Each structure stands twice: as structure tokens, then as C-alpha cells.
Amino acid sequence: MEKKTNFTQKEIKPINGMGMLILITLGILAAIAMIVVGCINLGAVGIAMIIAGGLGTIILPLLYAGLRVVGPNEALVLTLFGNYHGTILKQGFYFVNPFSTYTNPTYTKEIAAAKAEAETQAKNGKFSLGSIKVSAKKTVSLKDNTLNNGVQKVNDVMGNPIIIGAVVIWKVVNPTNAVFNVEDYAEFLSIQTDSTIRNIARMYPYDSLNTEDHEHANEKTLRGSSQEIADNMKAELNNKVAFAGLEIEEVRITHLSYAEEIAAAMLRRQQAEAVISARAKIVDGAVSMVKMAIDKLGEEEVVFLDEERKAAMVSNLMVVLCSDKDTQPIVNSGSIY
């Protein structure tokens, strides 16, 4: 397997752009003045001045191509004749080698897409080709970005299809690696995010099926441990995109549900578990109350019951305490025997 090459980021400190702008403009004016003076004073010196002035008016305007503007929280990655030239990391107005070119795959991709769309529309006769406007910049943004890839259907560890979605907060920390190590760092991050969400989600169950089982009491689930699982996604995603000069600041699960084909069945299962759990608590409470009542009657010698009468009393009390509806007791005003 071919070893990946990491580019060492080299920060360049270019010349102040405003000073160079003034010098270039003054140089052009001086070249024009030399041409005028040479035309007035024809001769060997005049011809030399005309040649020098002409070269100046041709060469000096080319230096305007070296003026670059870098905004706040932006970086400009430059190449010179196919080789990495350096990166400007500070905001400002600068002058660099006029033959150096910027490199930003996001901007290049958007320009190509806009040109293709414009050519298609021109062929259909909608409008003629003109200026193309794109929202991307030539510089690489170092600001925090939000990636929301929507939702995707995956299987949890038990094979149940679920719908899960996450939002990722990320930023570029090494613009040189972001530009040179991957074709398109934004698309690279999107694909790696989908892969990470799918890989992590299939390692955990959506919800614990055995809530009363002590063996599974501390089991992590997608629904119950969403923050811990999101942190695992962040760690794995950071490992995958660090090579591209990206840093993941936060991952949040924004959507989590069963897929439509099993949502109704899982809802019934959850309802059944809730009913069983409630019934179990009711029975436990009823048994404690019945035992307390029989023990209290025996300790205070209120009444003496044989085993058969105790069984009848337990039965009646359990019916009263565990019934869903109000019971209608029958009062016995005679002998209990």
C-alpha cells in the first residue's frame, strides 16, 4: 500500500500589498512619462527611454496579479509552477509572486459546476454566457462549519432497522493538508461522517430489551446513552479526517427512531413492557400490604384466623388492591364463620 504524504505547512510572510500597489502604480506612471519624454527628445537617449518605458508599461501591470486579500479566519494556499509555495494565515492585503496561484478545491469545484450549468443553459437558448457568480472563495475558511447530512437508515447491533441523523461541528486547522491531501475536503468529511455514523450505530442496540436484567443494566444504548455514543463518533471521525487537516469539535445526534416497517411493533413492545413493569410494582406493593395487614391483626390479637380464612382474606385483598377498577365489597354483618 502506498504511503500517504503529509505536506508540512509553510507560513509565508509576504510584502505589504498597499505599499506595493502604490509602487507599481508610480512605476507605470513613470514608464508612461519616459515614453512621453523620449518622444519629445528623439535621439539615442530618447529611443532608450521609449524602449524602457514601453517595457515598463507591459511588465509592471502584470505585477498587479500578485496582490492578494486574506480575510479574518481565512488562509490562502499558494502554488508556484506546480509546487507548493506557502500559506498565508494572517488577514490583510499582501503582495506575493504574481506567478503563484491559489488552490482551493471547493472554489474550483463550484466554478466548474457553474460553468457547466451556464453552458447547458446557453445551449438551450435561455441566456448567453456571461459572468459567473459563485458563493465560494479562493481562500480556505478557518471558521467553524456545520455539517448536517440528514438522516440515514442503518441496522443496530440486534439487526433492527433504525433512522439516525447527526450534525457535526468542524473546522479546518491545517489548510495545506486540507487542500493537498484530499480532492475535496468538504465532500471527504461528508462521506466519512456517513461511514462513522453507520459503523458506530451498528455497535449498540436502539434500546435495552431486558430492563430488569442486572447483566444488561449498564448496557449502552442509542436512546439512553446518546451523548456517550456521540462522543465515540467524534473520536472516530477525528481519527479519520485528521489527515485532511480537519478537526471535529462536536457531534450531536439530532434524529433517532425506528424505521417505519418496525415502528408500530416496537411501540407495542414498549407499551407492553410499561404495563408489565407497572403490574409488577402493583403486585409487590399489594403483597407487602396484605402481609402487613395479616401480621398486624395477629400481633394485636384483633382476630384469630385459621389458614383457610387467611387464604380467603389474602385473595380478597389482592383482588381489591390489584384490580383496575373500583371493587364493590360485600359487608358481612354476621359471624365470619
Side-chain angles (χ1 to χ4, degrees):
M1 182 177 178
E2 186 179 354
K3 185 178 180 180
K4 295 180 179 179
T5 303
N6 248 333
F7 285 87
T8 301
Q9 182 164 274
K10 179 178 65 176
E11 182 179 0
I12 58 177
K13 301 184 183 299
I15 304 172
N16 182 275
M18 186 58 66
M20 285 301 299
L21 175 63
I22 295 173
L23 288 177
I24 295 170
T25 304
L26 291 178
I28 294 174
L29 294 177
I32 296 173
M34 291 176 65
I35 295 175
V36 173
V37 173
C39 291
I40 295 174
N41 301 317
L42 291 176
V45 177
I47 293 174
M49 293 180 66
I50 293 174
I51 294 174
L55 292 175
T57 55
I58 296 174
I59 295 175
L60 290 176
L62 298 178
L63 298 180
Y64 282 124
L67 298 174
R68 297 284 191 273
V69 177
V70 180
N73 275 333
E74 292 180 354
L76 187 63
V77 182
L78 299 173
T79 58
L80 182 62
F81 302 123
N83 296 318
Y84 172 53
H85 179 58
T87 304
I88 303 176
L89 298 174
K90 295 181 180 179
Q91 67 184 41
F93 182 41
Y94 302 109
F95 175 81
V96 297
N97 191 317
F99 295 101
S100 62
T101 57
Y102 61 86
T103 304
N104 187 354
T106 303
Y107 178 81
T108 305
K109 182 179 179 180
E110 193 165 336
I111 282 286
K115 286 183 178 179
E117 183 179 357
E119 289 175 359
T120 301
Q121 294 183 357
K123 290 179 180 179
N124 296 333
K126 293 185 178 180
F127 59 84
S128 59
L129 285 173
S131 60
I132 298 175
K133 296 181 179 180
V134 295
S135 58
K137 294 183 178 181
K138 299 178 182 179
T139 54
V140 178
S141 175
L142 304 180
K143 303 173 185 176
D144 288 350
N145 294 277
T146 302
L147 172 66
N148 187 357
N149 269 15
V151 298
Q152 56 180 315
K153 181 184 291 188
V154 300
N155 292 331
D156 66 0
V157 71
M158 303 183 67
N160 297 321
I162 61 174
I163 305 296
I164 186 171
V167 62
V168 177
I169 309 299
W170 64 281
K171 66 179 181 179
V172 176
V173 293
N174 191 319
T176 303
N177 286 342
V179 167
F180 294 124
N181 285 351
V182 292
E183 184 69 24
D184 185 342
Y185 58 87
E187 184 178 357
F188 175 77
L189 174 64
S190 176
I191 295 174
Q192 293 300 327
T193 299
D194 287 343
S195 174
T196 300
I197 292 175
R198 186 176 298 275
N199 290 338
I200 295 295
R202 67 179 55 175
M203 296 170 59
Y204 301 94
Y206 177 88
D207 201 0
S208 178
L209 296 179
N210 302 315
T211 55
E212 301 297 329
D213 191 350
H214 295 289
E215 181 181 353
H216 301 280
N218 297 323
E219 182 182 24
K220 292 182 180 180
T221 63
L222 294 173
R223 190 173 68 90
S225 308
S226 59
Q227 185 57 51
E228 296 179 33
I229 294 173
D231 291 339
N232 293 342
M233 291 180 179
K234 173 185 173 182
E236 181 173 332
L237 190 55
N238 258 322
N239 291 334
K240 290 184 176 181
V241 302
F243 175 72
L246 308 180
E247 179 183 344
I248 308 302
E249 296 186 338
E250 186 178 7
V251 176
R252 290 275 184 173
I253 297 177
T254 57
H255 182 89
L256 182 64
S257 65
Y258 281 112
E260 295 180 357
E261 55 266 30
I262 66 167
M266 289 301 177
L267 178 60
R268 289 195 296 270
R269 181 184 66 80
Q270 292 175 353
Q271 291 173 341
E273 287 181 352
V275 171
I276 292 173
S277 178
R279 287 290 185 184
K281 291 184 179 297
I282 291 174
V283 171
D284 289 342
V287 170
S288 298
M289 293 175 67
V290 170
K291 183 178 182 300
M292 181 179 63
I294 294 177
D295 292 343
K296 198 76 172 176
L297 291 173
E299 290 173 1
E300 298 185 4
E301 299 181 353
V302 176
V303 63
F304 295 97
L305 301 173
D306 57 18
E307 295 301 323
E308 182 180 352
R309 299 300 177 181
K310 286 182 180 180
M313 182 178 180
V314 169
S315 176
N316 292 335
L317 287 176
M318 291 295 292
V319 170
V320 172
L321 295 173
C322 297
S323 177
D324 286 336
K325 299 180 180 179
D326 294 336
T327 56
Q328 300 294 328
I330 298 176
V331 179
N332 186 2
S333 59
S335 172
I336 63 173
Y337 296 101

